[in-house]
Amino acid sequence: FLQAIVKIHKEYGSIIRLWLGADLFVILSDPKYVEVILGSNKLIDKGVIYRYLYDWLGTGLLTSTGAKWKRHRKIITPTFHFKILEEFIDVFNLNGQKMVYKLQKEVNGPEFDICPYVALCTLDIICDSCQPSSQCCVELRSRLSQRLSLSSCMLWYIKDAMLSVQ
């Protein structure tokens, strides 16, 4: 799928309109355009593809819009101050190394979905930064593993459906 997007980018430029059925997707490959979108407090309405994330992520900061997004953003922004993040460098490194170790098993193998690895690493970092052995983290890891299996299947189904339309 990404190879097709790269090919389209080379042919049509850094702003691409892509219709998949009735849904319009705008793909940006120039960092200056991406920065405008990501840096905006007004351009926060999510596209239709985000509906596939609701079951997995709920309607939090990543998937919400409007007043709910602004409220969540205001709450979480202080958490990402550099001084606070520096305290967790060891946790980031340890869990990053664990993920790399797991990914090494995939080297020289067939194409695979990296999303479950990244999602579980992210969850491990979050849990290890709070209370690693708490029942909440154990339950979250279990639920995420189950949802990742389902979500990965759904995303591959969507990808295969889009590619078969060509």
Side-chain angles (χ1 to χ4, degrees), residues 33-85:
Y33 300 135
V34 174
E35 183 179 9
V36 169
I37 301 295
L38 294 179
S40 171
N41 286 330
K42 300 203 182 323
L43 302 171
I44 59 172
D45 286 342
K46 306 301 191 277
V48 294
I49 198 146
Y50 277 80
R51 68 179 170 232
Y52 297 109
L53 299 175
Y54 291 155
D55 287 339
W56 183 37
L57 299 174
T59 55
L61 182 63
L62 180 64
T63 57
S64 64
T65 61
K68 185 173 186 177
W69 178 87
K70 287 179 183 175
R71 188 172 58 251
H72 286 194
R73 177 66 191 249
K74 189 175 182 178
I75 291 169
I76 201 168
T77 296
T79 307
F80 292 101
H81 190 278
F82 290 117
K83 290 291 181 192
I84 293 173
L85 293 176

Side-chain angles (χ1 to χ4, degrees), residues 145-158:
S145 294
Q146 292 169 355
R147 287 185 176 190
L148 278 174
S149 304
L150 209 88
S151 297
S152 294
C153 293
M154 178 59 119
L155 289 172
W156 282 115
Y157 173 75
I158 293 166

Side-chain angles (χ1 to χ4, degrees), residues 40-165:
S40 171
N41 286 330
K42 300 203 182 323
L43 302 171
I44 59 172
D45 286 342
K46 306 301 191 277
V48 294
I49 198 146
Y50 277 80
R51 68 179 170 232
Y52 297 109
L53 299 175
Y54 291 155
D55 287 339
W56 183 37
L57 299 174
T59 55
L61 182 63
L62 180 64
T63 57
S64 64
T65 61
K68 185 173 186 177
W69 178 87
K70 287 179 183 175
R71 188 172 58 251
H72 286 194
R73 177 66 191 249
K74 189 175 182 178
I75 291 169
I76 201 168
T77 296
T79 307
F80 292 101
H81 190 278
F82 290 117
K83 290 291 181 192
I84 293 173
L85 293 176
E86 283 176 1
E87 296 174 25
F88 298 100
I89 292 291
D90 292 338
V91 173
F92 300 157
N93 285 336
L94 176 66
N95 285 291
Q97 289 170 358
K98 287 180 186 177
M99 183 178 73
V100 167
Y101 176 77
K102 292 174 187 175
L103 288 172
Q104 286 174 338
K105 296 175 184 173
E106 302 286 354
V107 172
N108 297 323
E111 184 178 296
F112 69 97
D113 183 4
I114 195 171
C115 290
Y117 293 97
V118 174
L120 288 172
C121 178
T122 302
L123 182 63
D124 287 343
I125 289 170
I126 292 167
C127 287
D128 290 352
S129 298
C130 303
Q131 292 178 318
S133 60
S134 74
Q135 184 60 31
C136 176
C137 285
V138 172
E139 288 178 26
L140 277 173
R141 285 182 174 114
S142 173
R143 286 176 54 199
L144 181 61
S145 294
Q146 292 169 355
R147 287 185 176 190
L148 278 174
S149 304
L150 209 88
S151 297
S152 294
C153 293
M154 178 59 119
L155 289 172
W156 282 115
Y157 173 75
I158 293 166
K159 174 187 164 194
D160 291 343
M162 288 190 303
L163 291 175
S164 66
V165 174

